Amino acid sequence: SQQGEEDPQALSIQEGENATMNCSYKTSINNLQWYRQNSGRGLVHLILIRSNEREKHSGRLRVTLDTSKKSSSLLITASRAADTASYFCATAPSGNTPLVFGKGTRLSVIA
Amino acid sequence: NAGVTQTPKFQVLKTGQSMTLQCAQDMNHEYMSWYRQDPGMGLRLIHYSVGAGITDQGEVPNGYNVSRSTTEDFPLRLLSAAPSQTSVYFCASSYDYRDNEKLFFGSGTQLSVL
């Protein structure tokens, strides 16, 4: 069963704009992770935020976590055509449970 | 440092055939897992292993078999292929399973069952 659900399913923006994707989940978590998948490739880990953290930055990425609302958001600032990919959130209900992935958001950045 | 290596990259099978998807990692990771990715379904966990000699079922284990005889290798066996097993298969590993550390993914195997 899906633990995390991303929203929107698809997003199309112009180069230079910011892109925001959201993830909602159902149970308490140990941490939440975001991954990127370029077409025809494997997933690549972007960022991990633990349940006791509220915000984390990595380069042009900003992730927030609201455990009271069971939701997270991924913000990509000043997007580039190379950011075109699918983005997945992944959660685990506890430290001894495998990660469960959502269905992903397809981001298209138009040059 | 190769990371996670999957072979083959592409495979076509006939219904009823069996085959093994190979996965190897050279990072001394304890945890290894297999996911399948279908359009509109995201990634679903098939089987996973927290160390050599230990395996467990994920969300969609039926029709698949795994073993973990070494830390490096985690093959996925399709016992009798069915068209419903047409999918892209990903192997992933991580160093410390107990803290849900980040996963490293292979490049995938695209399988078609006719």
Side-chain angles (χ1 to χ4, degrees), chain A residues 37, chain B residues 35-38 85-90 107-111:
Chain A
Q37 183 181 33
Chain B
Y35 289 87
R36 60 178 288 174
Q37 185 176 32
D38 302 292
Q85 294 179 303
T86 293
S87 187
V88 181
Y89 292 84
F90 289 99
S107 58
T109 295
Q110 187 168 324
L111 176 67

Side-chain angles (χ1 to χ4, degrees), chain B residues 64-83:
Chain B
Y64 307 96
N65 202 359
V66 293
S67 60
R68 184 96 178 268
S69 57
T70 67
T71 299
E72 294 79 18
D73 300 298
F74 191 44
L76 178 72
R77 297 181 186 85
L78 279 69
L79 308 174
S80 177

Side-chain angles (χ1 to χ4, degrees), chain A residues 60-73:
Chain A
R60 294 184 295 112
L61 305 181
R62 172 178 170 257
V63 169
T64 61
L65 179 64
D66 187 334
T67 53
S68 67
K69 295 181 179 179
K70 293 186 172 58
S71 67
S72 173
S73 66

Side-chain angles (χ1 to χ4, degrees), chain B residues 46-64:
Chain B
I46 305 172
H47 285 286
Y48 65 97
S49 168
V50 300
I54 306 169
T55 63
D56 208 344
Q57 296 181 350
E59 180 186 357
V60 288
N62 292 341
Y64 307 96

Side-chain angles (χ1 to χ4, degrees), chain A residues 1-2 30-31 33 35 37 41-43 45 48 50 88 92 94-99 101-103, chain B residues 31 35 37 40-45 48 59 90 97-108:
Chain A
S1 60
Q2 304 297 137
N30 180 34
N31 66 55
Q33 304 179 27
Y35 290 78
Q37 183 181 33
R41 308 292 292 273
L43 280 72
H45 181 267
L48 181 155
R50 301 194 184 279
F88 295 87
S94 72
N96 292 322
T97 307
L99 287 177
F101 286 80
K103 297 179 181 180
Chain B
Y31 178 76
Y35 289 87
Q37 185 176 32
M41 296 294 291
L43 279 82
R44 292 181 292 171
L45 182 66
Y48 65 97
E59 180 186 357
F90 289 99
Y97 166 69
R98 288 162 292 182
D99 203 26
N100 297 120
E101 292 299 322
K102 67 180 183 180
L103 290 175
F104 293 78
F105 279 81
S107 58

